[in-house]
């Protein structure tokens, strides 16, 4: 496990990664870095190149050019030992359906060199699937298979987790549990997490940094705080007395996230602004309101604007 | 490597294909024995000895049931990894692709030898139950080696089927190929070309009878060249392919 001192070291790196299928570049010159203890959200629409990138990271398909480094080791040909320190969850959680959850994990544990039943039981418990340990996977729902996939990913106490669309098929409780697990692993154990998703809201809640892939190219890479700043929507009020308006917002409505960019303008930042209630409060307190306008982009708007609003 | 082979057998637990293997390998002794019972009262009744049953069982194992059954089992072992999405979860452990495929071949060899023994046990038991002439422990025991030898040769001939499985990743067309090649065996089995068609060349090799019209090495060359090509192509294909 990474110690605090090595948390900021690069654990996963791609350099000018290219994967062609026929004449189409599924991944086109992708360069990114994931640091220890960081949760990196890899965002993109369906077909943007997320899964192809992850397949190259895991050695399942070979890049046409460029390279992948995990813990500083180039992943080429048969030299993929660094993967033994990686936990992964593929987009389809494949298991031997004739075996039970426990038997499946035992098989993977045996091949991974994980010793002891305790490690398997811990992983099952962490993923919230321990109650179904002795049930055959054939009877599992997609959500249960996903949970078992998470258990498998945690089995070898990884230093890097690579997750492809991890919340697909999970119920709300499963999504919440996964969020907690990832946050705990990253914050407490310094585990780096690289997770792909096309659901922006989910990535935003858990990631530290976000990379947006579109048409195989990384078109944006920003810290989540900056993303939040960019997608912060606001309601702008043109008022007769901005100072009194500020007092009413703070004292009467308990709103502190606002600014006065210029005289007569009050900009209120909130996820869901009740513009009507604010307007009413201003008018009741004798402040004239000449204009109310919503400004700024939501998460979806931001993403669509970035990707041109079309599919890859 | 031992871990990988052990994993191959662990994967088969509770699988219906496990039973298919044993049921399939039971077909030849049962059908051969039923044939003997049917014609036992006929004019050539004295032919139907223990040796006859064991020879017939081994012959039909090697010519008909074996190639089809073992080809199917081997192909299933490969194709299920693609269709159940398990391959993409095992290879990044990381597991060497060459070792992974070698483990599959080794597990298939062990499985084929076990099924060959099962077929022999069944034939020997049926011969005893049916009271066939010439039954003794030493008489039936001398067939263990030909049954296992036939099984080993059939294992060598399974490599082209595994290559087809890796290339097509779908059991239906692979079964079509297996059935077609087996039908060709039926046509060629009694012809002069028996020694040079790989899936019938096994008969002169196991029986030790010389091949008329061809040099003595012809059956060996045919069988081993086909097997070698199957193994080489399988490993090249698997080690180079992108896993979907």
């Amino acid at each position: 496990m990474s110690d605090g001192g090595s948390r900021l070291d690069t654990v996963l790196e791609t350099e000018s990664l290219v994967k062609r299928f026929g004449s189409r570049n599924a991944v086109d010159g992708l360069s990114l870095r994931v640091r220890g203890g960081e949760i990196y959200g890899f965002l993109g629409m369906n077909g943007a190149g997320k899964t192809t990138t992850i397949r190259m990271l895991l050695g399942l398909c070979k890049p046409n050019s460029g390279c992948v480094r995990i813990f500083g080791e180039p992943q080429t040909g048969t030299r993929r030992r660094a993967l033994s320190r990686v936990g992964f969850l593929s987009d389809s959680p494949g298991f031997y359906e004739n075996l039970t959850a426990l038997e499946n994990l035992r098989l993977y544990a045996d091949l991974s060199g994980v010793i002891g039943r305790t490690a398997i039981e811990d992983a099952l418990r962490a993923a919230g699937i321990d109650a179904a340990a002795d049930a055959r996977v054939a009877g599992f729902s997609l959500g249960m298979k996903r949970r078992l996939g998470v258990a498998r990913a945690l089995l070898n106490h990884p230093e890097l987790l690579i997750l492809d669309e991890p919340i697909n098929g999970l119920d709300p409780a499963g999504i919440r549990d996964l969020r907690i697990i990832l946050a705990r692993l990253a914050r407490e154990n310094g585990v780096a997490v690289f997770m792909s998703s096309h659901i922006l809201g989910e990535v935003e809640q858990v990631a530290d940094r976000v990379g947006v892939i579109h048409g195989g190219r990384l078109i944006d890479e920003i810290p989540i705080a900056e993303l939040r700043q960019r997608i912060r929507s606001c309601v702008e009020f043109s008022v007769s007395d901005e100072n009194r308006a500020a007092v009413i917002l703070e004292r009467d409505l308990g709103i502190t996230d606002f600014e006065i960019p210029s005289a007569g303008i009050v900009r209120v930042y909130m996820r869901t602004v009740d513009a009507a209630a604010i307007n009413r409060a201003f008018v009741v307190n004798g402040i004239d309101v000449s204009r109310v306008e919503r400004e700024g982009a939501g998460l979806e708007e931001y993403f669509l604007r970035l990707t041109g609003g079309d599919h890859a | 490597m031992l871990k990988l082979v052990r994993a191959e057998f662990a994967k088969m637990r509770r699988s219906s294909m496990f039973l298919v293997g044993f049921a399939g390998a039971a077909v030849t002794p049962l059908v051969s024995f039923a044939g003997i019972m049917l014609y036992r009262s006929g004019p050539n009744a004295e032919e139907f000895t223990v040796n006859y049953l064991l020879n017939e069982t081994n012959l039909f194992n090697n010519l008909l049931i074996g190639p089809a059954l073992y080809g199917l089992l081997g192909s299933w072992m490969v194709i299920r990894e693609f269709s159940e999405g398990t391959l993409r979860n095992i290879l990044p452990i990381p597991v060497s692709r060459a070792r992974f495929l070698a483990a599959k071949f080794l597990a298939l060899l062990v499985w084929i030898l076990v099924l060959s023994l099962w077929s022999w046990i069944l034939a020997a038991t049926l011969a005893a139950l049916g009271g066939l002439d010439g039954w003794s422990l030493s008489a039936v025991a001398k067939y263990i080696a030909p049954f296992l030898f036939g099984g080993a040769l059939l294992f060598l001939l399974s490599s082209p089927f595994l290559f087809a499985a890796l290339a097509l990743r779908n059991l239906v067309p692979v079964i079509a190929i297996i059935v077609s090649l087996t039908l060709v065996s039926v046509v060629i089995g009694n012809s002069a070309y028996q020694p040079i068609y790989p899936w019938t060349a096994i008969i002169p090799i196991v029986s030790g009878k010389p091949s008329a019209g061809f040099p003595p090495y012809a059956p060996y060359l045919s069988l081993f060249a086909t097997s070698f090509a199957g193994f080489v192509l399988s490993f090249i294909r698997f080690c180079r392919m992108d896993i979907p």
Side-chain angles (χ1 to χ4, degrees):
Chain A
M1 210 64 71
S2 300
D3 58 32
S6 64
R7 281 187 183 191
L8 293 178
D9 292 345
T10 300
V11 293
L12 171 65
E13 186 179 7
T14 71
E15 204 176 291
S16 307
L17 212 54
V18 174
K19 181 65 187 176
R20 274 190 293 277
F21 293 118
S23 59
R24 189 176 74 90
N25 279 7
V27 174
D28 192 4
L30 185 81
S31 298
L32 54 81
R33 284 179 181 195
V34 180
R35 297 183 286 259
E38 174 183 50
I39 301 180
Y40 187 102
F42 192 45
L43 281 171
M45 292 179 173
N46 295 329
K50 303 186 297 293
T51 296
T52 304
T53 301
I54 286 181
R55 283 167 59 206
M56 285 191 281
L57 299 182
L58 296 174
L60 293 171
C61 75
K62 294 177 186 64
N64 292 93
S65 62
C67 78
V68 173
R69 285 191 201 90
I70 296 179
F71 303 114
E73 287 181 30
Q75 301 298 294
T76 51
T78 53
R79 290 190 57 193
R80 300 191 180 278
R81 272 181 308 172
L83 282 174
S84 62
R85 296 157 67 188
V86 175
F88 56 92
L89 176 65
S90 66
D91 57 338
S92 66
F95 289 99
Y96 299 99
E97 305 234 327
N98 47 308
L99 304 184
T100 65
L102 189 65
E103 288 166 348
N104 264 290
L105 286 201
R106 212 177 274 153
L107 193 146
Y108 286 101
D110 195 29
L111 293 177
S112 311
V114 175
I115 300 164
R117 193 185 162 99
T118 317
I120 298 172
E121 285 171 351
D122 288 348
L124 285 166
R125 204 173 304 116
I129 193 77
D130 49 324
D134 295 317
R136 282 175 65 175
V137 173
F140 278 20
S141 65
L142 179 59
M144 289 169 81
K145 284 182 188 171
R146 277 267 153 201
R147 280 177 181 267
L148 188 55
V150 172
R152 179 174 55 197
L154 301 176
L155 202 56
N156 57 339
H157 303 293
E159 292 165 64
L160 166 65
L161 272 172
I162 297 177
L163 313 171
D164 194 3
E165 302 276 1
I167 64 164
N168 271 7
L170 283 179
D171 55 25
I175 294 171
R176 183 202 58 207
D177 291 351
L178 181 66
R179 213 183 286 147
I180 292 168
I181 290 170
L182 295 184
R184 183 173 50 77
L185 286 171
R187 310 296 171 238
E188 294 175 15
N189 303 97
V191 174
V193 180
F194 179 84
M195 62 177 281
S196 78
S197 181
H198 62 273
I199 303 172
L200 289 80
E202 281 306 321
V203 171
E204 190 221 349
Q205 288 189 53
V206 72
D208 300 311
R209 207 149 56 96
V210 168
V212 181
I213 185 172
H214 184 64
R217 289 173 172 272
L218 194 69
I219 55 172
D220 201 5
E221 195 177 43
I222 51 169
I224 204 72
E226 196 180 317
L227 174 69
R228 285 197 182 117
Q229 197 67 34
R230 282 191 203 175
I231 62 171
R232 213 159 59 135
S233 62
C234 67
V235 177
E236 201 170 272
F237 296 85
S238 294
V239 293
S240 55
D241 187 338
E242 68 276 6
N243 293 324
R244 276 187 63 207
V247 173
I248 290 160
L249 282 173
E250 278 196 36
R251 189 191 61 200
D252 297 352
L253 301 173
I255 296 170
T256 54
D257 193 10
F258 66 88
E259 63 175 352
I260 300 170
S262 58
I265 302 289
V266 177
R267 202 175 277 161
V268 182
Y269 291 98
M270 283 176 74
R271 281 294 168 83
T272 51
V273 172
D274 187 353
I278 296 171
N279 188 43
R280 201 179 308 121
F282 286 162
V283 171
V284 165
N285 286 282
I287 299 169
D288 295 334
V289 179
S290 57
R291 184 177 66 94
V292 180
E293 197 171 334
R294 184 177 287 273
E295 291 192 345
L299 204 54
E300 277 72 22
E301 272 177 82
Y302 158 78
F303 185 69
L304 288 172
R305 204 168 55 214
L306 203 61
T307 58
D310 59 345
H311 288 271
Chain B
M1 179 59 89
L2 185 65
K3 275 184 186 176
L4 284 166
V5 175
R6 199 168 55 207
E8 286 303 321
F9 287 106
K11 291 173 196 174
M12 290 181 206
R13 190 178 294 176
R14 286 190 292 278
S15 164
S16 55
M17 285 306 263
F18 194 73
L19 293 176
V20 167
F22 279 94
V27 168
T28 33
L30 287 171
V31 170
S32 302
F33 181 70
I36 287 175
M37 290 295 110
L38 209 60
Y39 297 108
R40 205 177 186 182
S41 53
N44 300 321
E46 69 279 0
E47 279 182 18
F48 301 132
T49 60
V50 169
N51 285 342
Y52 181 87
L53 175 64
L54 287 160
N55 273 325
E56 287 287 288
T57 301
N58 202 22
L59 174 69
F60 288 121
N61 265 352
N62 295 335
L63 190 65
L64 291 174
I65 293 291
L69 179 66
Y70 305 149
L72 174 71
L73 297 178
S75 304
W76 169 79
M77 286 168 73
V78 167
I79 289 169
R80 74 173 300 201
E81 303 280 4
F82 291 95
S83 60
E84 295 180 23
T86 45
L87 192 56
R88 65 170 71 177
N89 291 296
I90 279 201
L91 293 181
I93 279 176
V95 168
S96 143
R97 292 192 186 199
R99 280 167 182 252
F100 182 81
L101 189 59
K104 286 221 175 283
F105 274 116
L106 270 175
L108 181 63
L109 173 62
V110 173
W111 199 5
I112 288 175
L113 293 180
V114 167
L115 292 178
S116 299
L117 266 181
W118 160 243
S119 186
W120 170 81
I121 290 168
L122 209 58
T125 307
L126 288 169
L129 291 173
L132 299 190
D133 288 344
W135 202 100
S136 70
L137 206 54
S138 59
V140 293
K142 73 178 182 190
Y143 280 91
I144 294 177
F147 269 69
L148 291 178
F149 185 46
L153 293 177
L154 287 170
F155 160 72
L156 293 178
L157 284 172
S158 69
S159 64
F161 298 132
L162 263 73
F163 169 65
L166 286 166
L168 299 168
R169 300 191 302 240
N170 185 331
L171 207 51
V172 176
V174 176
I175 288 173
I177 291 170
I178 292 170
V179 170
S180 305
L181 290 176
T182 307
L183 284 176
V184 174
S185 296
V186 174
V187 175
I188 292 183
N190 288 322
S191 77
Y193 299 104
Q194 187 203 62
I196 56 166
Y197 180 64
W199 283 272
T200 50
I202 196 168
I203 296 167
I205 294 175
V206 172
S207 66
K209 290 175 189 166
S211 324
F214 291 98
Y217 59 81
Y220 294 94
L221 185 66
S222 166
L223 191 148
F224 285 115
T226 305
S227 174
F228 182 72
F231 278 112
V232 169
L233 289 172
S234 296
F235 277 94
I236 289 174
R237 171 80 187 165
F238 188 59
C239 292
R240 289 190 178 174
M241 76 191 301
D242 283 346
I243 306 300

